[in-house]
């Protein structure tokens, strides 16, 4: 039984990583920059890990956790609502 439990945990970790990489590649395709996709995927990984920790293991969320979550969500909002900066390329002079 302990070996079966270990194998199922390893399998579950593999499935979770495969799902995360699938969503990450889709986010890279849909996002305007790779930084936005990377930050969003990392933040969602932390948030879902916390939720699963609460549901599966009964972990408690401290006030510091809520501060971190709030800062993460605010950072994501800033990242996704900021207007992209366009770089002006000077035209070459023709003589």
């Amino acid at each position: 039984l302990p070996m079966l439990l270990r194998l199922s945990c390893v399998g579950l970790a593999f499935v979770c990583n495969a799902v995360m990489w699938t969503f990450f590649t889709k986010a890279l395709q849909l996002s305007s920059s790779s930084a936005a996709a990377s930050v969003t995927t990392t933040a969602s990984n932390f948030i879902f890990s916390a939720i699963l920790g609460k549901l599966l293991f009964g972990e408690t969320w401290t006030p510091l956790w809520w501060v971190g979550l709030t800062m993460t969500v605010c950072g994501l909002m800033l990242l996704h609502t900021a207007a992209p900066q366009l770089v002006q390329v000077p035209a070459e002079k023709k003589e």
Side-chain angles (χ1 to χ4, degrees), residues 62-80:
T62 63
L64 185 60
W65 183 87
W66 287 105
V67 169
L69 177 67
T70 303
M71 291 177 72
T72 301
V73 170
C74 288
L76 285 172
M77 287 177 20
L78 284 173
L79 182 68
H80 287 289

Side-chain angles (χ1 to χ4, degrees), residues 13-29 37-38 41-42 44-45:
F14 178 75
V15 168
C16 288
N17 279 313
V19 169
M20 189 269 307
W21 280 108
T22 302
F23 283 128
F24 179 65
T25 55
K26 289 193 185 288
L28 282 174
Q29 292 173 352
S38 297
T41 304
T42 302
S44 64
N45 192 7

Side-chain angles (χ1 to χ4, degrees), residues 31-47:
S31 181
S32 61
S33 73
S34 61
S38 297
V39 170
T40 304
T41 304
T42 302
S44 64
N45 192 7
F46 290 141
I47 292 169

